[in-house]
Amino acid sequence: ESAGGCSNYDTVGANPQWSITIGERPVACLVCLAQADARGTDLDGDGVEDEPFPIGLSVVYKRGERVRKLYASDWCARTAPFRNTREVSLDVTLEPRSGGATTTYTLLPSTFEPGQERNFRIRVFSDRPVEVAPLR
């Protein structure tokens, strides 16, 4: 229910999402997505040790709103291609938009296919203060 997969699927909006708000100046950010270590587990019961899911991370401009559907004009940065690895990172400079005091982007982590659930962690490192908050 909370693993909507990548933007190839209509369910992408079900993924957990966060807003990231910057001020009036560009902000260099390193955003990291790490999934829980699957080694030594067999959660699907098929008798084979689980492997990392293919994961990816996107920064999109939706004015801080939840992503329901993505258009080419929404993308700011993304990891590509999806990789079967424990962690991916995205080095991006977020630019102010629309002349306001703040600009809010949306962080969208995902697995490649819907239904692939695992605990994960997102970390944001920046050269200026930013505000990160979960989107409901």
Side-chain angles (χ1 to χ4, degrees):
E1 194 172 297
S2 66
C6 71
S7 61
N8 295 350
Y9 299 94
D10 291 338
T11 54
V12 67
N15 288 312
Q17 299 173 41
W18 286 263
S19 65
I20 180 167
T21 302
I22 67 168
E24 297 175 332
R25 299 177 66 192
V27 177
C29 293
L30 176 64
V31 185
C32 303
L33 168 64
Q35 62 181 307
D37 191 355
R39 291 178 294 187
T41 62
D42 179 18
L43 297 177
D44 57 10
D46 64 0
V48 178
E49 184 176 286
D50 292 336
E51 302 228 352
F53 291 130
I55 57 173
L57 180 63
S58 302
V59 176
V60 297
Y61 183 63
K62 287 283 199 181
R63 293 177 175 81
E65 298 292 321
R66 281 191 65 83
V67 169
R68 303 281 183 226
K69 186 171 185 174
L70 284 168
Y71 301 95
S73 60
D74 296 333
W75 296 105
C76 297
R78 60 182 166 177
T79 57
F82 280 75
R83 296 186 324 198
N84 286 40
T85 186
R86 183 136 182 258
E87 184 169 352
V88 294
S89 60
L90 186 58
D91 195 2
V92 61
T93 298
L94 300 177
E95 299 284 343
R97 294 192 177 202
S98 67
T102 62
T103 300
T104 304
Y105 292 87
T106 301
L107 297 178
L108 177 64
S110 67
T111 55
F112 185 75
E113 294 182 12
Q116 297 177 317
E117 293 190 0
R118 185 163 292 145
N119 290 333
F120 65 93
R121 175 178 298 159
I122 291 185
R123 294 177 293 163
V124 177
F125 304 93
S126 62
D127 68 344
R128 299 186 189 289
V130 297
E131 183 179 317
V132 178
L135 290 172
R136 304 276 176 226

